[in-house]
Amino acid sequence: MSIFDRVDLADLRVFLAIMRAGSFKGAAIQLGLTPSAASHAMRRLEERLSAKLLNRTSRAVSPTDVGRELAQRIEEGFDKIGDALAGLEAPGSGRFGELRLNVFSDAAHLLIAPALPEFARQCPQVRLTVVVEDRPIDIVAEGYDAGIRYGHYVPEDMIAVPLSKAQRWVIAAAPSYLDAHAPLKHPDDLAQHTCLQLLLGDNSSYKWELSRGRRLRVPGVITINDTATTIAAAKAGMGLAYLLEQRIADELNQGSLRMVLAEHAAKGEPFHMYYSSRRHKHPALRTLMNIIRRQQGLAEYAWSARSA
């Protein structure tokens, strides 16, 4: 019996996932296993190979020299298998499986929600999980296939595909608020107004950014980290809000919010889908990205060897 006959390919897949995620927990999430099951798979693999592949401590997991060499050798093989399956056009091939995304709330509202009906029609057997949160995370370590961020927030070692055109950040308020307060003619006038503070995902307070790179610390005693709540507070006349123009398009059209200082609106980065270059190709991810791009008025993405 050869060594190949003694080794379960599923255990090798667990080993590669741990190497990529840097933790048993991250690999378990990615593969839909419990950390205990991932640990048992590694123990079984090491016993069958009679070699220690990973160094484990209470805080970190790192490969041994043997583990690092094995990962490099088998990763290419798994990638080729993934390419072959993804390239099949027969029903039940590359589009099926599980796709896990981590997106922030504005992207979920503007991009993911409108795309879901068409995605479900094209990929009916894909198990899609969308986790909506605004905190910055390591998508690989936490077991996600991809995430959505603004372009300038995408980590440098990731592949990023634009999903939208450039965004615009604007200041808006309810007519009731604007009618009861002094008119805004210049950004300096913000100092005399009540502003709804914006809390970022890392719990830092955001300075309002206007055109020409001007950033202001504005006054206000209410801080909110959720766009929907901010919009509701602004519509209730509680103050000026700093928001994506696309996010409040309906409110602006209906007149429940009015834009102020429009000539000072700041141009922002497009939304981007991003993922690790070491991830296997996922046809369903390509499908979802192109659905979103079409809905956002962009052409389908031309996939290169690097982006694929």
Side-chain angles (χ1 to χ4, degrees), residues 51-97:
K52 186 176 182 180
L53 303 177
L54 297 173
N55 291 313
R56 307 166 177 83
T57 69
S58 59
R59 295 184 177 182
V61 175
S62 61
T64 63
D65 290 341
V66 173
R68 186 177 295 105
E69 182 178 357
L70 176 63
Q72 291 173 348
R73 288 175 177 270
I74 66 175
E75 185 169 36
E76 182 178 353
F78 271 90
D79 285 344
K80 288 182 178 179
I81 292 173
D83 290 348
L85 293 175
L88 292 177
E89 295 183 356
S93 58
R95 291 179 185 272
F96 295 169

Side-chain angles (χ1 to χ4, degrees), residues 105 128 136 163 199 264 281:
S105 57
L128 174 65
L163 297 178
L199 189 68
H264 296 282
K281 302 173 182 64

Side-chain angles (χ1 to χ4, degrees), residues 29-30 98-105 107-108 111-113 115-116 119 126-133 137-140 142-149 163 272-276 279 282-289 292:
I29 292 173
Q30 175 189 336
E98 182 175 13
L99 181 62
R100 290 176 51 84
L101 305 178
N102 186 283
V103 306
F104 63 101
S105 57
L111 305 181
I112 298 297
L116 286 179
F119 178 81
V126 172
R127 297 186 302 277
L128 174 65
T129 299
V130 180
V131 174
V132 181
E133 57 183 345
I137 69 162
D138 182 332
I139 58 170
V140 175
E142 299 202 25
Y144 293 98
D145 294 291
I148 297 180
R149 291 185 185 178
L163 297 178
H272 282 69
M273 186 79 79
Y274 70 102
Y275 54 96
S276 170
R279 289 287 192 183
H282 202 308
L285 181 59
R286 299 187 191 185
T287 299
L288 178 60
M289 284 192 279
I292 294 172

Side-chain angles (χ1 to χ4, degrees), residues 150 152-153 167-172 187 190 195-198 200 205-218 241-245 260-269:
Y150 295 111
H152 59 296
Y153 286 123
Q167 299 296 309
R168 207 165 75 122
W169 289 88
V170 301
I171 300 171
L190 291 169
C195 301
L196 300 172
Q197 302 292 326
L198 176 64
L200 298 177
S205 182
Y206 186 76
K207 291 182 179 179
W208 289 13
E209 187 170 349
L210 305 181
S211 60
R212 299 179 182 177
R214 183 175 184 181
R215 302 187 70 189
L216 299 175
R217 182 75 68 186
V218 294
Y242 183 78
L243 299 157
L244 278 176
E245 184 177 14
V260 297
L261 299 175
E263 65 275 19
H264 296 282
K267 190 174 181 179
E269 287 281 326

Side-chain angles (χ1 to χ4, degrees), residues 10 13-18 26-33 38 98 100 143:
R13 184 166 174 254
V14 171
F15 167 57
L16 273 183
I18 294 170
I29 292 173
Q30 175 189 336
L31 298 175
L33 303 173
E98 182 175 13
R100 290 176 51 84

